[in-house]
Amino acid sequence: MNVADNIQQITDTIPEGVKLVAVSKFHPAGVVQQAYDAGQRIFGESRMQEIDKKHTELPGDIEWHFIGHLQTNKVKFILPYTHTIHSIDSWKLLAEIEKQASAINKPVCCLLEIHIAAEDAKYGLTFDECRKFLAEGLWKDCKFAYIGGLMGMATYTEDEDQIRKEFRSLKQFFDEVKSGFFSEYDNFSELSMGMSGDYKIAIEEGSTMIRVGSSIFGEREY
Ligand SMILES: *Cc1c(COP(=O)(O)O)cnc(C)c1O
């Protein structure tokens, strides 16, 4: 498994304008450094303790993305070095990010996590819940925690038609809320969808940000 080759192979095939988030969770700082040395600058982590440790061990110009479920009591620890949070699914969480971000005067990109998979998931908003959340409008008062787009995960299946259908529905929903709620908010621009197994389909369906772990770093040992 050559991390540099894997990065190269992926960046060679993704269109300009699609960002690669290298998902380094469960992999040691040493291999993250190899990806960094190959030119990769955006990394995704899903656990507070892990991102907290790694960000101190690795170069300061890394753009750290938090992609996992985030508890409100962890927000203040990760905010100082976190650029984007992909997993906003409640006002409570967004409000806490706003509070902590304003305390350190730092804008933070927040993506709303949308539940599109057929599997039951504990996290993520349904389309209707998201419409309601946006219509309530509390997010408009946030000065630092800005809504930069949406994130979603397709069903874990071999059925490419189903994956495509789910990504397509998320892109459609993205367009709907962009014109409905964010027409005056240029920041609302990212559609984070696609992982190792399905990022090619996701890009065809309009992804602007793919989150790829095992195709870069190999299997994770939990
Ligand atoms: C782990 C994870 C990924 C990366 O998954 P791979 O299949 O290894 O590419 C992407 N997104 C989220 C939210 C994850 O938790």
Side-chain angles (χ1 to χ4, degrees), residues 21-27 44-46 67-69 86-87 113 151-153 156 192 194-199 210-216 218-220 222:
V21 179
V23 176
S24 47
K25 64 187 187 196
F26 294 94
H27 293 285
E45 288 284 340
S46 62
I67 63 170
H69 177 67
H86 290 236
S87 46
E113 180 173 351
M151 183 275 247
M153 273 182 276
Y156 188 72
S192 168
M195 309 173 27
S196 290
D198 56 21
Y199 73 85
I210 57 173
R211 310 176 309 272
V212 179
S214 37
S215 288
I216 296 173
E219 293 303 316
R220 290 176 284 273
Y222 294 103

Side-chain angles (χ1 to χ4, degrees), residues 42-212:
I42 309 178
F43 291 91
E45 288 284 340
S46 62
R47 297 185 306 171
M48 192 278 272
Q49 287 85 352
E50 195 175 348
I51 192 172
D52 207 50
K53 180 157 180 289
K54 270 185 201 160
H55 100 276
T56 63
E57 298 168 341
L58 287 153
D61 64 341
I62 286 179
E63 186 180 301
W64 290 105
H65 287 212
F66 196 87
I67 63 170
H69 177 67
L70 181 59
Q71 290 169 283
T72 49
N73 63 349
K74 307 271 168 71
V75 168
K76 67 168 173 290
F77 300 105
I78 68 159
L79 265 200
Y81 50 83
T82 297
H83 179 280
T84 298
I85 299 171
H86 290 236
S87 46
I88 313 299
D89 63 0
S90 72
W91 165 248
K92 184 169 165 243
L93 180 56
L94 188 68
E96 177 64 13
I97 296 169
E98 170 65 12
K99 180 178 159 204
Q100 300 298 341
S102 71
I104 57 172
N105 220 10
K106 181 190 176 212
V108 182
C109 179
C110 296
L111 307 183
L112 300 175
E113 180 173 351
I114 309 296
H115 179 74
I116 54 170
E119 299 135 353
D120 283 338
K122 286 175 288 197
Y123 310 119
L125 302 162
T126 64
F127 291 150
D128 269 341
E129 287 167 345
C130 185
R131 286 186 189 104
K132 188 158 166 276
F133 171 88
L134 292 172
E136 280 167 359
L138 290 166
W139 57 274
K140 291 181 187 168
D141 295 330
C142 293
K143 305 262 184 309
F144 295 89
Y146 65 89
I147 298 180
L150 306 179
M151 183 275 247
M153 273 182 276
T155 305
Y156 188 72
T157 172
E158 307 267 279
D159 183 350
E160 294 201 355
D161 291 339
Q162 178 168 0
I163 294 169
R164 187 176 297 281
K165 213 172 64 194
E166 290 169 1
F167 285 149
R168 190 166 294 179
S169 72
L170 184 56
K171 169 67 160 100
Q172 223 164 46
F173 183 68
F174 176 89
D175 292 340
E176 173 197 318
V177 297
K178 183 157 177 68
S179 58
F181 294 98
F182 295 99
S183 56
E184 282 156 41
Y185 294 79
D186 292 343
N187 279 333
F188 188 88
S189 59
E190 301 290 0
L191 181 53
S192 168
M193 59 183 197
M195 309 173 27
S196 290
D198 56 21
Y199 73 85
K200 290 181 181 131
I201 302 172
I203 290 170
E204 286 166 8
E205 297 302 330
S207 172
T208 67
M209 200 179 255
I210 57 173
R211 310 176 309 272
V212 179

